[in-house]
Amino acid sequence: MQALYDTKTLDTINDIPEIDVRARMAVSFLASIVTIIISSIEGQVILFVASFLYALSIRRYKAVFIAYAFMAIMIVIAGLFTYGFSLLMPSMPFSISGVLVPFLRGIVMLNVVLPLALTCRIQALLTALKSLRLPFCIYIPGAVMIRFIPTFMNDIKQVSETLKIRGYNLSFGEMFRHPLMMLRLMFTPLLFRSLRTSEELGMAAELKGLDANSRFVPFRETAWTKRDTILIVLAVFVSAIALTYHFMWGTIPAGGMH
């Protein structure tokens, strides 16, 4: 049952600068609040640039590229549906700037969640969540959802390698030429593997004896360092700049929140 406690994940984070899980959680929480408040394009662009550099700091470039590829696909699909609705309902005209802010919000959250999911040990994450005095029914599902991200990426890798062994071409050109075939070959196995992974995560938690009264002993004790403080200060500084641009010079698209 390595779905919840994956030793491969522990090995891949050894070369990444150690950041306390509480600091990464604080950055994610701050980003989620600020990106909801900001509805201007300028403010969202500032958050995007800063969060993108933060995501690149974990040096998992391939994982970031895969995540952005999936995000791009979802953005294109959402944009096409939005454009279709604008044709059916002229009272809701299509505007690129109008849909840009929601997409930027999703990308910002992707940039701050990836470092948390790909670098934090699950035991440290559970300990940090439980230290917040959250109910058991909240912090266990939260940890499982975060742990699901690297597990799902590993599922994508395994399905891709299996298809390559069978002689299928998985290039982007082939995906666009035969979308239905790629949907059957890629997404159907991923759907069933995701369902299986969710069951394994739950069973692994039960077999590890995780319950409301459990005490989690981290694999390695972590302490708050100067690096963590600098990360929080930078996050607050960037948020302040983005909010300043939003309220003073921000351009709010038609239909955006004021």
Side-chain angles (χ1 to χ4, degrees):
M1 291 291 179
Q2 64 176 8
L4 191 60
Y5 293 87
D6 194 349
T7 56
K8 183 183 295 187
T9 302
L10 296 179
D11 295 336
T12 57
I13 67 178
N14 289 335
D15 298 331
I16 300 173
E18 188 71 23
I19 299 292
D20 192 279
V21 61
R22 293 167 294 180
R24 295 197 185 277
M25 289 172 56
V27 170
S28 301
F29 177 75
L30 179 62
S32 65
I33 298 298
V34 175
T35 194
I36 291 176
I37 297 175
I38 295 177
S39 56
S40 63
I41 297 177
E42 293 82 358
Q44 287 293 335
V45 169
I46 293 175
L47 292 179
F48 164 72
V49 173
S51 62
F52 180 68
L53 296 176
Y54 174 58
L56 292 181
S57 67
I58 65 176
R59 300 199 297 270
R60 297 287 297 276
Y61 305 114
K62 186 176 181 179
V64 173
F65 172 77
I66 294 174
Y68 265 75
F70 274 93
M71 180 64 73
I73 293 173
M74 289 188 291
I75 289 176
V76 170
I77 294 175
L80 291 176
F81 273 100
T82 303
Y83 180 72
F85 278 121
S86 68
L87 295 179
L88 296 175
M89 304 177 63
S91 60
M92 299 175 59
F94 176 78
S95 172
I96 295 179
S97 60
V99 298
L100 184 60
V101 170
F103 291 155
L104 285 175
R105 284 174 175 155
I107 296 174
V108 168
M109 291 310 303
L110 173 69
N111 289 336
V112 296
V113 169
L114 279 180
L116 178 63
L118 299 179
T119 64
C120 295
R121 293 179 173 86
I122 188 65
Q123 286 184 324
L125 181 62
L126 287 170
T127 303
L129 288 171
K130 191 173 183 179
S131 66
L132 297 176
R133 309 289 183 181
L134 295 174
F136 176 76
C137 60
I138 293 180
Y139 71 79
I140 286 294
V144 169
M145 286 188 295
I146 293 175
R147 183 64 189 87
F148 180 82
I149 296 175
T151 304
F152 182 68
M153 289 183 173
N154 186 56
D155 291 342
I156 296 175
K157 181 180 179 181
Q158 291 184 3
V159 173
S160 300
E161 291 177 349
T162 301
L163 293 177
K164 289 179 181 179
I165 292 174
R166 295 182 177 180
Y168 289 101
N169 182 13
L170 299 180
S171 63
F172 281 101
E174 191 71 15
M175 290 182 181
F176 281 106
R177 283 193 296 268
H178 305 285
L180 295 180
M181 184 184 70
M182 289 301 166
L183 181 66
R184 178 174 60 86
L185 294 177
M186 283 289 294
F187 290 98
T188 302
L190 285 175
L191 174 62
F192 285 99
R193 285 194 63 87
S194 299
L195 294 175
R196 180 181 177 184
T197 298
S198 62
E199 294 179 357
E200 289 182 350
L201 288 169
M203 290 175 7
E206 292 181 0
L207 293 176
K208 290 291 182 180
L210 301 182
D211 54 43
N213 300 317
S214 297
R215 179 179 180 271
F216 307 111
V217 181
F219 176 77
R220 183 176 60 186
E221 292 292 340
T222 58
W224 192 272
T225 63
K226 183 179 179 181
R227 186 183 294 110
D228 304 318
T229 303
I230 293 175
L231 177 62
I232 297 298
V233 171
L234 287 176
V236 173
F237 179 70
V238 171
S239 300
I241 293 178
L243 288 170
T244 301
Y245 266 83
H246 168 64
F247 288 111
M248 298 187 66
W249 305 291
T251 303
I252 300 178
M257 291 189 306
H258 296 270

